[in-house]
Amino acid sequence: MAEGPTGSTVPRRQLGRHLKELRNRARLTVRAAAAKLEWSEAKMWRIETGQTPLRSLDVQAMCTVYGAPKDLTDALMGLAKETKARGWWHAYGDVIPEGFDVYVGLEEAATGLSSYESDVVPGLLQIDGYARAITRIHYPDMEEAELDGRVRLRIERQTLLTRVTDPPTLRVALAETVLRRPIGGHAVMAAQLAHLVYVSELPNLSIRIVPFGVGAHMGVVTGPFVILRFPVNGDGVEMEPPTVYADGYTGGLYLDKPKEVDQYETAFEGIWDAALDEQASRRLIAEVAGSYREP
């Protein structure tokens, strides 16, 4: 099958939602459905959350247990074939963190991202030296070859910002702490902040800095997060539900319930309004970059 621009993540999530809805309509718990299918509950969870591709025969078995009509079963079996499509990031399968391929796929499919970071430059805006320093902090004993692979993955992700076809709109709010913490040393930070100034000129990218003087703001409560929005269909409805991703030390958290997304949307707008405007932010970034260059 030809490889699509969004890889397998979006159809996996769509299929998982449809199957979960069918299970709920059949009034079956995850445990009861797993027992009927002779699967583990963990497998059911992976399927319903879009964590794994599915065979058409597995979908057929689930639809039979759930009493789905033939036309819907056929449609979902066809969708199952799309879950096998592979995105470019699968080439980094040996170094990509567990579960992060889901996020990378969603990132590729998104038309808009709103990101708040309190401590580090977001991966989409990191230069090689900064990414290398961050990765080494997380994995101090990692072999150099694997570290190189992880850094290449992070840099490769950034091509979506300048791709020819429908690059996403990116709004990034950074706490001033991000600029002041010398990750990788002064030379690396000078180059990293110069890169932020450069990319802030892209037409689809806006960067705002939340200065220390603001005091308490919503970002203090939420911590770092990204809101991903997706293309709309002919009816003006997003093809994928808006999703919030919050990265943690032991793994990522995905939220897509409307109430949860609305709360984060409100929080982000509060952070965005509290920040300096783009021009003032660019001046502050350049000023701090200059301080790292001073002898």
Side-chain angles (χ1 to χ4, degrees), residues 82-148:
E82 296 297 324
T83 69
K84 302 298 177 78
R86 293 170 64 84
W88 61 264
W89 55 92
H90 286 276
Y92 294 87
D94 55 337
V95 296
I96 195 167
E98 184 178 355
F100 195 63
D101 60 328
V102 174
Y103 178 78
V104 177
L106 292 175
E107 189 178 70
E108 280 284 310
T111 55
L113 299 97
S114 299
S115 172
Y116 169 67
E117 272 290 352
S118 58
D119 295 292
V120 298
V121 174
L124 282 178
L125 305 180
Q126 292 177 8
I127 62 170
D128 184 288
Y130 190 97
R132 190 171 298 276
I134 286 288
T135 305
R136 181 57 77 192
I137 292 169
H138 273 275
Y139 306 100
D141 300 321
M142 180 178 286
E143 295 289 337
E144 200 66 27
E146 184 176 355
L147 187 144
D148 288 344

Side-chain angles (χ1 to χ4, degrees), residues 152-189:
R152 285 198 305 274
L153 168 65
R154 189 161 296 191
I155 301 304
E156 182 70 21
R157 283 170 51 204
Q158 299 173 11
T159 59
L160 70 87
L161 295 176
T162 54
R163 68 188 180 199
V164 176
T165 305
D166 299 324
T169 299
L170 180 61
R171 294 192 299 166
V172 179
L174 302 176
E176 186 175 345
T177 308
V178 174
L179 310 183
R180 304 290 183 181
R181 179 171 286 117
I183 292 174
H186 283 213
V188 168
M189 280 303 296

Side-chain angles (χ1 to χ4, degrees), residues 207 276-284:
I207 299 177
L276 301 172
D277 64 27
E278 284 90 325
Q279 192 170 15
S281 296
R282 193 176 296 120
R283 286 197 299 268
L284 178 58

Side-chain angles (χ1 to χ4, degrees), residues 100 117 138 154 223-226 244-254:
F100 195 63
E117 272 290 352
H138 273 275
R154 189 161 296 191
F225 63 91
V226 183
V244 176
Y245 175 75
D247 191 15
Y249 179 56
T250 58
L253 175 66
Y254 296 89

Side-chain angles (χ1 to χ4, degrees), residues 7-27:
S8 61
T9 303
V10 171
R12 284 203 315 250
R13 279 167 46 105
Q14 291 174 334
L15 181 57
R17 282 199 308 277
H18 285 304
L19 292 170
K20 181 178 180 179
E21 184 177 341
L22 284 174
R23 176 178 60 75
N24 287 333
R25 285 182 181 177
R27 298 177 181 267

